[in-house]
Amino acid sequence: MQIRASAQLVGCVLTGLALNWIVVACSSPNTASNSSPNTTQNPAPQAQANKPIKLTLVSYAVTKSAYEKIIPKFAEQWKAQTGQTVEFEQSYGGSGSQTRAVIDGLEADVVALALAGDTAKIEKAGLIQPGWEQELPNESIVHKSVAALVVRDPNLGVKGWSDLTRDDIEVITANPKTSGGAKWNFLALWGAITQAGGSEQDAQNFVETVFSRVPVLPKDAREASDVFYKQGQGNVLINYENEVILATQQGDRQPYIVPTDYNISIDNPVAVVDANVDKHGTRQVAEAFTKFLFTPEAQREFAKVGFRPVEPTIEAEFVSQFPKIEKLFTIKDLGGWKQVDSQFFADGAFFEQMQTKIAQPK
């Protein structure tokens, strides 16, 4: 009896100890993991450095050839400096369409769009902090271009802007409602009149006449090039100088003219999308990438595919590639993007009114 009672007592004690261990283990879930140096909740600095980081670049169509060369160079440099692998997701399309996509939820870390007006729309949507223009050199303009006229037949005798109103000319240009490049084309036409001393009515008449000779409005500059080169439509293409240079490099050797009397400085900005980099934890690498775009190494890649560089040493290196413009006017000379968008490209503004007028039966 006494031996059986002692055994029962020992059994109860052991059972109690086991239950107590289970309760302690269940009520202290972090005890074991906190003692491990390889915990995923508190990774060592080296583990964080080695974890790949993703960066999303959203840009407009014709920059793709440059970024395909620049991104690997930056990724290599970032790896050497930090030990961290950076992987890029890239999206290219019409600048206007890309702007709307970012505002509607495409989570770009960096935007490199065709015009500051598009970047300002993303700022207005609360995704980019005010003052982004001052965060990088050259007011955040990372490269430039001018407008060019590609001529299918050199015997047409097209020498400049005024020839685009001739009855034998059919013009291809993208749609400024979806393409930043097309906005520049439109403004080059307008400024070619007003900057030469013509009135706004003169400019309106000139632009209407040119667009009455436009059979189709592709959504972006790259598609406009395809319509002209691959589909054979039109006999004059208005496009970026850089896009024409790139097309020439790729074998489409159509003759082209860069109007040098009056032309517009096509200024292309880059910016970090503050709301998204803070959400993704990518601010450091995003800011490093945008700064890298202004280095001679990156600027040279822009120049190779036809963009006018903003870095002085690279500009001098490629000076023979770019004709000098006698009167190079800017968006500021036309009133700035806010005024220009309101006057020409907003819903119901001049461009839509003009298109409605052109479509009416004669």
Side-chain angles (χ1 to χ4, degrees), residues 18-35:
L19 289 171
N20 187 56
W21 180 87
I22 292 171
V23 170
V24 170
C26 292
S27 63
S28 304
N30 293 328
T31 303
S33 61
N34 285 345
S35 65

Side-chain angles (χ1 to χ4, degrees), residues 231-252:
Q231 299 178 23
Q233 295 194 53
N235 52 18
V236 176
L237 168 70
I238 308 177
N239 213 341
Y240 290 140
E241 176 189 50
N242 62 276
E243 177 73 355
V244 177
I245 291 172
L246 181 62
T248 301
Q249 293 172 352
Q250 295 174 343
D252 293 317

Side-chain angles (χ1 to χ4, degrees), residues 302-353:
F302 285 128
K304 284 179 181 177
V305 296
F307 290 102
R308 296 189 175 213
V310 297
E311 206 283 328
T313 61
I314 304 302
E315 185 178 11
E317 185 178 323
F318 285 83
V319 66
S320 63
Q321 181 171 286
F322 304 112
K324 184 178 180 181
I325 310 300
E326 294 177 20
K327 173 58 178 177
L328 185 67
F329 56 92
T330 70
I331 190 65
K332 292 180 181 179
D333 294 320
L334 301 179
W337 279 115
K338 186 175 181 180
Q339 177 179 319
V340 162
D341 278 329
S342 175
Q343 180 178 357
F344 298 119
F345 306 123
D347 292 341
F350 174 77
F351 183 77
E352 285 189 359
Q353 295 172 16

